[in-house]
Amino acid sequence: MRKSFDEINEKIRAKRAVVVTAEEMIDIVRDQGPKAAARKVDVVTTGTFGPMCSSGAVLNVGHATPRMKIHRAWLNGVAAYGGLAAADVMIGATALPDDDPGNARHPGAFPYGGGHVIEDLVQGRTVKLEAESYGTDCYPRRKLEAGIRLRDLNDAQLSNPRNAYQNYNVAVNAKGDRTIYTYLGVLRPKMANATYCSAGQLSPLVNDPGFRTIGVGTRIFLGGGVGFVTGHGTQHAPNVARNERGVPTGGAGTLAVCGDLKQMHADFLRGVSVTGYGVSLAVGIGVPIPVLDEDLAWSTAVTDRDVVAPVVDYANDYPNNEGEPLAFVSYAELKSGTIEVRGKRVRCASMSSYAKARVIASELKRWIEAGAFSLGRPVETLPGPGSDLHPHLLVNHPTTEVER
Amino acid sequence: MTQRIVLYVPSGSVNPRTLEPDARERRVPASRVVRDRKRCVDCGACVGACLSGALVADPATRETLVRPHACVGCGLCVPTCGYGALLTVVTGPRAEGVS
């Protein structure tokens, strides 16, 4: 039996669609089989919440009087990008204030940055905008200081060139002799601990591993509002080795997404300070997966036992692009709190909130059941396994001076 | 003698009103870590750093549970929290203010 997007959307409009979370789908497929599950269930909702550094917001702050072509800008002292149109400013999640000492006194605390600016805007707080320019005939103003609030901006778009990673590394410090501070958290030497960052069985791209239903135009839950998939994310790596379920055994697919920041909520968009590393933005994303057929019923019943991740040394191997994974462990093992790596029991913890991922999947389910959220049929699917996308290391070419 | 509490705030803005009740008790051990429930996202990053069993993941809900009386105040968990939800509370004669 096959269903179409249109048929499912018709059911959603009539509030007759059967919607379950990816967790609930596991039991349904186990008890009734994928064929019956495909007949019964129309949509499976997924969710994930964790730091996603490749995030930012494009703000149109409105023209000042006299007008100004913003050239350089700061938001609450955090450097923003002014290389867009006159009144557009972009703030990146990992941007820091000019006076942040970084890791000069290691490990740096990184108390405030771009991710926090975005959270402050979403919280409704007033953010200080400082801008400079060189002045033109049409935009004569050279300096600007103003307090801005999200509600008064003409436009505020959350833009994430890469997130919702389809699986990811488990980090350990196996080869170092001191505590290290990474984007995956604090790692003590001799593999005293391990960290990971994925919702596993609830993660969007794990539930549609071949990208059959997710593509450009897919409507999603983004930061508490409605967003869209705009394409495959940067570093999208669909050709990573996969297990018998088609789930990659390492970081693979990614999504590029965007959405209206004004719809979003700080419960699902939070600034993050990663000790010794920097700042980031934790983003909540939920993707609905239409159960078009039996195969999709089966793939959305993926469990934490079915998803394995590579354990990677972050003291030497990761920073130097060397070595092989030390082991592969399942998310069921990771969520037990202890994994075994080369004969050693290692305590592990998550950087991603499974509790929040559950809230997101449930919230998205509620929206769809209420008929308030229909499925976006992709106008183009993402490059899948077998495509010619192969992310690689930096290619360094000889450069020549550009004549100015 | 009235004890005063020093809050060492690692990052973010902590609201004393949203600290869990135990943090506001008058009599607390010499040093203890407390959580701002409103800032916590239940990721569980702190759980892996806690050696005393004061921070545990609820196996059913995956929320982070705090067992204040198991905390030894080592503070290992504080730098693992990216959301500024954990802070060390120090009491006693050396406690003189808020930093």
Side-chain angles (χ1 to χ4, degrees):
Chain A
M1 164 190 187
R2 291 185 61 84
K3 283 178 268 187
S4 69
F5 274 83
D6 290 341
E7 286 166 349
I8 293 174
N9 274 336
E10 194 50 50
K11 280 185 166 183
I12 292 172
R13 272 189 286 278
K15 299 182 185 176
R16 288 189 293 106
V18 177
V19 189
V20 301
T21 68
E23 273 187 323
E24 293 166 338
M25 190 64 168
I26 293 169
D27 292 341
I28 294 170
V29 171
R30 187 193 57 214
D31 296 344
Q32 302 175 25
K35 204 169 183 176
R39 273 198 302 270
K40 177 179 180 178
V41 178
D42 298 308
V43 184
V44 172
T45 59
T46 62
T48 186
F49 180 91
M52 300 183 189
C53 290
S54 190
S55 302
V58 178
L59 316 175
N60 181 282
V61 298
H63 284 283
T65 307
R67 289 177 187 259
M68 178 180 189
K69 178 184 182 300
I70 293 175
H71 177 53
R72 283 155 45 92
W74 296 263
L75 292 167
N76 279 353
V78 180
Y81 183 64
L84 300 167
D88 288 341
V89 171
M90 182 174 177
I91 179 79
T94 65
L96 292 172
D98 292 345
D99 59 356
D100 188 288
N103 268 333
R105 190 174 165 195
H106 192 263
F110 302 101
Y112 195 84
H116 301 90
V117 171
I118 295 170
E119 181 188 335
D120 279 343
L121 284 167
V122 170
Q123 292 271 20
R125 297 183 182 125
T126 302
V127 168
K128 184 179 180 184
L129 165 69
E130 296 167 275
E132 293 175 358
S133 189
Y134 44 83
T136 72
D137 290 338
C138 47
Y139 295 104
R141 192 178 189 121
R142 291 179 183 228
K143 262 192 176 302
L144 174 66
E145 265 194 40
I148 59 169
R149 286 190 182 176
L150 182 61
R151 67 175 185 210
D152 301 322
L153 302 179
N154 289 321
D155 304 280
Q157 301 161 349
L158 186 76
S159 175
N160 305 58
R162 174 176 75 249
N163 56 22
Y165 239 119
Q166 189 181 32
N167 207 346
Y168 206 71
N169 292 343
V170 178
V172 293
N173 177 358
K175 300 180 181 177
D177 54 7
R178 64 169 178 87
T179 297
I180 60 172
Y181 298 84
T182 74
Y183 67 87
L184 280 172
V186 184
L187 298 169
R188 302 196 302 280
K190 299 179 183 172
M191 282 200 298
N193 68 317
T195 55
Y196 63 100
C197 191
S198 170
Q201 64 192 15
L202 260 183
S203 188
L205 294 181
V206 164
N207 280 272
D208 183 5
F211 320 119
R212 281 190 56 203
T213 68
I214 303 172
V216 180
T218 297
R219 186 178 284 111
I220 62 170
F221 174 109
L222 180 60
V226 175
F228 295 90
V229 173
T230 55
H232 67 268
T234 54
Q235 286 180 203
H236 183 72
N239 292 301
V240 168
R242 290 166 186 261
N243 65 14
E244 65 283 354
R245 283 192 74 101
V247 178
T249 54
T254 65
L255 295 179
V257 302
C258 75
D260 180 2
L261 198 64
K262 293 188 181 192
Q263 293 180 21
M264 298 184 194
H265 195 279
D267 278 352
F268 305 106
L269 217 53
R270 296 282 295 274
V272 190
S273 299
V274 185
T275 303
Y277 179 73
V279 296
S280 187
L281 181 71
V283 182
I285 292 184
V287 178
I289 298 174
V291 184
L292 303 177
D293 56 27
E294 190 179 330
D295 287 348
L296 279 163
W298 186 74
S299 71
T300 50
V302 64
T303 72
D304 283 331
R305 287 187 303 279
D306 303 320
V307 191
V308 296
V311 180
V312 175
D313 170 61
Y314 271 64
N316 177 75
D317 292 356
Y318 182 86
N320 296 307
N321 296 313
E322 291 177 2
E324 295 294 321
L326 303 171
F328 286 88
V329 294
S330 73
Y331 280 88
E333 293 170 272
L334 287 163
K335 287 177 186 173
S336 77
T338 312
I339 56 173
E340 188 167 318
V341 183
R342 298 196 170 178
K344 180 173 178 171
R345 305 277 290 166
V346 182
R347 294 185 53 159
C348 53
S350 174
M351 298 282 287
S352 162
S353 172
Y354 194 76
K356 284 261 189 203
R358 268 186 176 155
V359 172
I360 291 164
S362 299
E363 184 71 3
L364 181 54
K365 172 183 168 178
R366 200 176 59 78
W367 289 358
I368 299 170
E369 283 176 336
F373 184 106
S374 61
L375 305 182
R377 183 180 187 152
V379 293
E380 191 159 311
T381 53
L382 306 180
S387 68
D388 59 358
L389 261 187
H390 299 273
H392 46 71
L393 298 175
L394 174 75
V395 179
N396 186 6
H397 294 284
T399 57
T400 52
E401 286 296 316
V402 178
E403 284 185 28
R404 297 169 194 256
Chain B
M1 188 181 92
T2 305
Q3 289 185 329
R4 299 173 72 182
I5 295 177
V6 181
L7 303 180
Y8 294 97
V9 184
S11 62
S13 55
V14 171
N15 181 353
R17 283 175 300 184
T18 59
L19 293 178
E20 289 176 321
D22 197 68
R24 298 195 299 267
E25 287 176 7
R26 276 188 164 276
R27 296 173 64 81
V28 294
S31 178
R32 177 184 288 175
V33 169
V34 294
R35 169 175 66 166
D36 183 338
R37 191 68 188 87
K38 207 170 172 186
R39 291 207 65 78
C40 177
V41 301
D42 292 301
C43 63
C46 56
V47 173
C50 180
L51 304 175
S52 67
L55 296 164
V56 292
D58 184 314
T61 66
R62 304 307 302 176
E63 290 177 353
T64 302
L65 304 178
V66 183
R67 295 168 171 165
H69 298 292
C71 179
V72 296
C74 66
L76 281 174
C77 57
V78 175
T80 68
C81 179
Y83 302 90
L86 294 174
L87 53 150
T88 307
V89 176
V90 182
T91 64
R94 66 193 178 96
E96 290 180 349
V98 176
S99 65

